[in-house]
């Protein structure tokens, strides 16, 4: 069992060091404060869940929360699934759509002279 890189043996060592450094007279008081902190956090999380249930309504229970878990998204799997899908064929009138999207030219406009582009130093 590992929680954020802290295994059970490391947790026991930390607890023994804390008990030794804090001392037997302050340890019960700190343990009580830690218990009340954990209870308060649990009540806060439960209150947030109840508030969401009240605001969203009956749809809250119908939501599949496991499906929305961001830890399940593996970018490698998503890319591999996208590469396995067959490519969509272009529409039949693809050539006509490309011709409509092309830039129109006007034959009567003067053409720019070849060579470097002229530049006006005094223009803003």
């Amino acid at each position: 069992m590992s929680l954020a890189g802290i295994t059970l043996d490391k947790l026991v060592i930390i607890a023994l060091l804390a008990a030794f450094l804090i001392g037997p007279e302050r340890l019960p008081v700190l343990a009580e404060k830690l218990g009340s902190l954990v209870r308060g956090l649990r009540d806060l999380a439960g209150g947030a869940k109840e508030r969401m249930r009240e605001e969203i309504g009956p749809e809250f229970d119908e939501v599949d929360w496991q499906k929305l878990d961001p830890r399940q998204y593996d970018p490698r799997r998503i890319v591999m699934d996208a590469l396995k899908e067959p490519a969509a064929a272009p529409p039949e009138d693809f050539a006509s759509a490309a011709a409509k999207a092309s830039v129109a030219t006007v034959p009567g406009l003067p053409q720019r002279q070849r060579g470097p582009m002229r530049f006006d130093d005094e223009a803003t």
Side-chain angles (χ1 to χ4, degrees):
M1 183 177 122
S2 176
L3 180 69
I6 300 176
T7 58
L8 186 61
D9 56 345
K10 291 179 184 177
L11 192 61
V12 169
I13 291 172
I14 291 172
L16 289 174
L17 283 173
F20 179 72
L21 294 174
I22 292 172
E25 57 275 346
R26 290 190 298 176
L27 191 60
V29 174
L30 290 177
E32 183 180 338
K33 287 182 181 179
L34 180 64
S36 65
L37 176 69
V38 169
R39 279 190 299 276
L41 289 175
R42 186 179 56 210
D43 293 342
L44 182 68
K49 187 175 181 181
E50 288 302 317
R51 184 172 176 191
M52 287 292 292
R53 184 173 280 122
E54 289 173 7
E55 290 183 7
I56 293 177
E59 293 87 20
F60 180 80
D61 294 328
E62 297 171 4
V63 175
D64 184 15
W65 296 106
Q66 294 294 334
K67 186 177 178 183
L68 300 175
D69 187 8
R71 294 175 290 184
Q72 74 176 350
Y73 296 112
D74 182 17
R76 294 171 295 196
R77 183 183 52 81
I78 293 171
V79 169
M80 291 302 293
D81 290 345
L83 290 175
K84 289 178 184 176
E85 292 179 4
E92 294 177 14
D93 60 341
F94 182 72
S96 63
K100 290 178 185 176
S102 66
V103 178
T105 58
V106 179
L109 293 178
Q111 298 292 322
R112 186 177 77 80
Q113 297 175 356
R114 300 282 180 225
M117 183 74 94
R118 290 180 292 192
F119 181 71
D120 186 6
D121 289 336
E122 297 176 4
T124 55

